[in-house]
Amino acid sequence: MMGEIGDESKVEPPKARSDMLSGAITVASILLFVGTGSSVLSSTLQHYFSGGEGTDQTLVIALLLNVALILFGWRRHRELAREVSIRAAAEERAHQLAAKDPLTGFLNRRSLGEEGAAMFVRAQRRGKAMAMMMLDLDHFKTINDMHGHATGDALLREVAVEIAAAMPSIALTARFGGDEFACAFLFDPAHPDTVERIAERLVSRLAQPFKAEGLQLHISVSLGIARSDFDCASIDALMRSADIAMYAAKNSGRNRFAWFDLSMERELQARNELEVGLRGAIPRQEIVPYFEQQIDLTTGRLGGFEVLARWEHPQRGLIGPDVFIPIAEETGMISDLSLSIMRQAFMAAKDWDPALSISVNISPWQLKDAWLAQKIIKVLTETGFPATRLEIEITESSLFDNLALAQSIVGSLKNQGIRLALDDFGTGYSSLAHLRALPFDRIKIDKSFIMSINDNSESAAIVNAITRLGDSLNLPITAEGIEDASIEERLRTLGCAKGQGYLYGRPMSITNTRRLLAEKRLLLQPAAADVKEAAPTSQRLAG
């Protein structure tokens, strides 16, 4: 087999054989032209000056054929030269495309790896350190979604100009696709402040408005930095460290830079372990509902519960939502997690007193799903839980991205009798506009205002203003974060309808919630299910 391959490799392609044949014909034509031309010229001169015989017609015809062949060879040579030039230009363009980003002219990921490896070696030889910066633009997707990809591309070109301007004279700049960039340069390891100054300049400049396609656009950047002389054995390790630092900057609030340190890698590893565990925990129903009491502040009676998520981890014990909900949102698992929590909560609450309501908070990520309302209604239908006992809570910030889609989802939910609450009121972008745009049934004041109402005059003024607004719009108010009786009394005086917080107890598991409801005689007995409306609701809730 190897012999056959070797023999085939020696066979010239048809194109090469054609070029060689054309060349041979041209050379032969020129040699024949010299021979026949001299003979024809000699006989012609003798005929005119010495009266000799005329030129042999065969030689004339041969001469003309030679001329035609020479012209053919010359034309063929021009075509070959043009073809070679076009092919060389195409190869150059292909090389450029393979090595550089066509939008910005920066290197691509592969080229940065190759040229970065050479810079990494130079840094070691010269006693220098190599800085690697990873940049990810904040809120760039919103620009693309709102204004289109042409505007997004124009913005990326403007960003590339600013990045190139901030770099030292000898630096590598790359775009990895999307809105992620990378830069690398050498610096004196004794003066890392030079690197920080460049990072600060980039963060500051990219937070300023950009003009693209006639629009004024606002973004920011999360920037991670790693240095080659700190536990980086290769260019790949350096790029990975800078990438980890970039995500740390993003998770710390964005619009900033962060140096890589080993604790970031440990945190990333722990996060990845949680992500892997979460993928199995959702279908195994390890993520379970906990219930926080909601109290009628006028009567002191239990009116319902807010459903909260807890992870009953087999090894780590109870894990709070602040640990795993961000991971679920980032990985797209939040929809499955939320629907699983709803299903478990609805099944648990089927035999509760029908006057008790359930409030479920919807993640901003879920409001990007046009089928969200249908999914919730499907769970209600499958569990047999009444839609009129369900209240969906939506945070103000979740309405900022796509209000039209939120209106469509809310409209479908309201048509089923589901109630709607605006959660964390006062912390969003345009509260009054949202109250007008969506048919809310309730306003929930964020706990940050409630917990400081007795200590902070501004918080007290905000709570007072919200309660008056609720009165004017005929929207009852629920206050979150009530932790002592003095706060409760003040909220009651202001006219808040409901309250929740640790004053009334910690969130409870399904088992403990059933125990509480049994003590208050708010569980329906199987034999009494058909006559559950016999006793007045006020008597049932008074327990």
Side-chain angles (χ1 to χ4, degrees):
M1 191 70 180
M2 292 296 292
E4 293 176 5
I5 294 174
D7 292 341
E8 289 178 0
S9 66
K10 296 176 182 177
V11 177
E12 295 177 353
K15 178 68 177 172
R17 290 200 301 271
S18 176
D19 293 345
M20 290 181 63
L21 181 61
S22 297
I25 292 173
T26 302
V27 172
S29 298
I30 292 172
L31 293 175
L32 190 59
F33 173 79
V34 172
T36 57
S38 61
S39 176
V40 169
L41 181 62
S42 174
S43 61
T44 300
L45 291 174
Q46 287 179 3
H47 173 71
Y48 280 106
F49 293 105
S50 305
E53 295 182 2
T55 305
D56 188 347
Q57 295 298 316
T58 303
L59 288 176
V60 173
I61 292 171
L63 179 62
L64 292 175
L65 286 173
N66 284 342
V67 171
L69 287 172
I70 290 171
L71 289 174
F72 166 77
W74 175 74
R75 183 177 178 182
R76 179 60 180 162
H77 172 74
R78 286 185 60 192
E79 290 176 351
L80 287 174
R82 184 166 59 252
E83 185 176 340
V84 169
S85 176
I86 293 172
R87 189 181 302 174
E91 289 177 354
E92 179 63 23
R93 284 196 302 272
H95 177 74
Q96 290 288 338
L97 290 174
K100 293 192 174 181
D101 168 51
L103 182 65
T104 62
F106 283 4
L107 300 172
N108 58 25
R109 184 185 294 271
R110 182 180 63 83
S111 298
L112 179 66
E114 293 173 353
E115 297 194 26
M119 180 179 281
F120 192 91
V121 173
R122 288 200 304 274
Q124 292 176 325
R125 289 176 178 172
R126 299 178 184 177
K128 299 282 188 179
M130 177 179 175
M132 177 68 69
M133 292 183 176
M134 290 287 182
L135 301 87
D136 188 80
L137 304 185
D138 304 323
H139 314 299
F140 177 75
K141 185 179 183 301
T142 302
I143 302 293
N144 265 347
D145 292 343
M146 292 179 63
H147 304 293
H149 289 277
T151 301
D153 288 348
L155 176 60
L156 290 173
R157 286 191 290 267
E158 293 297 322
V159 168
V161 170
E162 296 298 334
I163 291 174
M167 288 297 107
S169 57
I170 301 177
L172 302 177
T173 53
R175 175 175 173 248
F176 289 171
D179 58 345
E180 190 173 355
F181 294 83
C183 312
F185 53 88
L186 301 183
F187 70 98
D188 185 345
H191 297 285
D193 54 304
T194 58
V195 180
E196 291 188 357
R197 281 196 294 271
I198 293 172
E200 289 170 350
R201 191 180 312 141
L202 279 171
V203 170
S204 175
R205 174 59 192 96
L206 298 187
Q208 301 302 313
F210 281 89
K211 286 188 176 180
E213 299 287 298
L215 299 170
Q216 185 164 293
L217 306 173
H218 295 267
I219 55 170
S220 58
V221 67
S222 298
L223 191 154
I225 318 170
R227 49 190 295 173
S228 61
D229 55 338
F230 280 13
D231 297 320
C232 282
S234 66
I235 185 65
D236 291 335
L238 185 63
M239 292 171 69
R240 181 175 180 274
S241 297
D243 203 45
I244 292 172
M246 181 268 288
Y247 278 105
K250 188 173 288 289
N251 293 333
S252 297
R254 308 185 181 191
N255 191 30
R256 66 193 63 204
F257 72 88
W259 283 95
F260 171 78
D261 65 59
L262 292 176
S263 66
M264 294 178 181
E265 191 165 19
R266 290 192 293 269
E267 290 173 5
L268 180 63
Q269 184 177 358
R271 182 214 175 274
N272 290 339
E273 290 174 357
L274 282 173
E275 179 184 336
V276 172
L278 192 59
R279 293 189 183 279
I282 296 172
R284 289 194 300 266
Q285 292 192 350
E286 292 177 7
I287 314 295
V288 297
Y290 269 53
F291 300 91
E292 182 174 2
Q293 298 179 63
Q294 294 179 325
I295 304 299
D296 186 319
L297 294 183
T298 302
T299 64
R301 293 170 182 151
L302 177 64
F305 296 87
E306 179 176 357
V307 179
L308 308 173
R310 297 291 186 270
W311 184 354
E312 293 181 342
H313 196 283
Q315 283 83 40
R316 299 178 55 176
L318 202 64
I319 301 177
D322 57 316
V323 175
F324 62 86
I325 290 295
I327 298 174
E329 290 178 333
E330 291 170 16
T331 57
M333 291 187 277
I334 188 63
S335 178
D336 290 341
L337 187 153
S338 179
L339 294 174
S340 173
I341 289 293
M342 286 187 202
R343 185 180 301 276
Q344 295 177 68
F346 296 164
M347 291 299 294
K350 282 179 65 175
D351 63 346
W352 294 358
D353 188 290
L356 296 174
S357 64
I358 283 183
S359 298
V360 179
N361 198 291
I362 294 299
S363 164
W365 292 90
Q366 290 177 268
L367 279 179
K368 299 177 181 180
D369 180 5
W371 295 97
L372 175 62
Q374 286 72 22
K375 291 176 180 178
I376 294 174
I377 294 167
K378 181 174 182 286
V379 175
L380 285 169
T381 303
E382 291 173 348
T383 58
F385 189 78
T388 53
R389 291 176 58 192
L390 175 62
E391 184 174 82
I392 293 295
E393 299 182 6
I394 300 175
T395 59
E396 279 191 89
S397 57
S398 66
L399 302 174
F400 182 67
D401 289 340
N402 194 334
L403 183 59
L405 178 57
Q407 288 174 317
S408 174
I409 293 170
V410 165
S412 298
L413 294 173
K414 293 283 289 183
N415 287 339
Q416 299 296 318
I418 298 171
R419 287 169 293 164
L420 185 68
L422 181 58
D423 196 15
D424 298 341
F425 188 81
T427 62
Y429 297 93
S430 52
S431 308
L432 295 177
H434 291 151
L435 284 175
R436 292 175 56 193
L438 293 171
F440 288 103
D441 300 289
R442 178 177 299 277
I443 296 174
K444 297 190 73 175
I445 307 178
D446 185 66
K447 63 182 179 181
S448 62
F449 301 123
I450 301 300
M451 296 173 68
S452 59
I453 189 172
N454 287 334
D455 306 317
N456 188 303
S457 59
E458 292 181 356
S459 295
I462 289 172
V463 173
N464 188 39
I466 293 174
T467 53
R468 290 185 178 181
L469 177 65
D471 286 340
S472 65
L473 297 176
N474 197 27
L475 291 176
I477 304 293
T478 296
E480 300 179 296
I482 301 175
E483 296 192 352
D484 61 58
S486 62
I487 292 178
E488 179 191 47
E489 181 59 33
R490 185 160 185 177
L491 292 170
R492 186 183 294 113
T493 302
L494 289 174
C496 283
K498 281 187 178 181
Q500 62 186 85
Y502 289 168
L503 176 64
Y504 312 109
R506 299 264 176 175
M508 299 175 291
S509 65
I510 292 176
T511 301
N512 290 337
T513 303
R514 292 188 67 82
R515 184 178 296 117
L516 172 71
L517 295 178
E519 292 172 356
K520 291 179 175 290
R521 302 173 67 182
L522 293 175
L523 287 179
L524 298 178
Q525 299 301 320
D530 295 332
V531 292
K532 58 187 177 183
E533 298 299 331
T537 297
S538 59
Q539 292 180 15
R540 293 195 303 271
L541 293 180

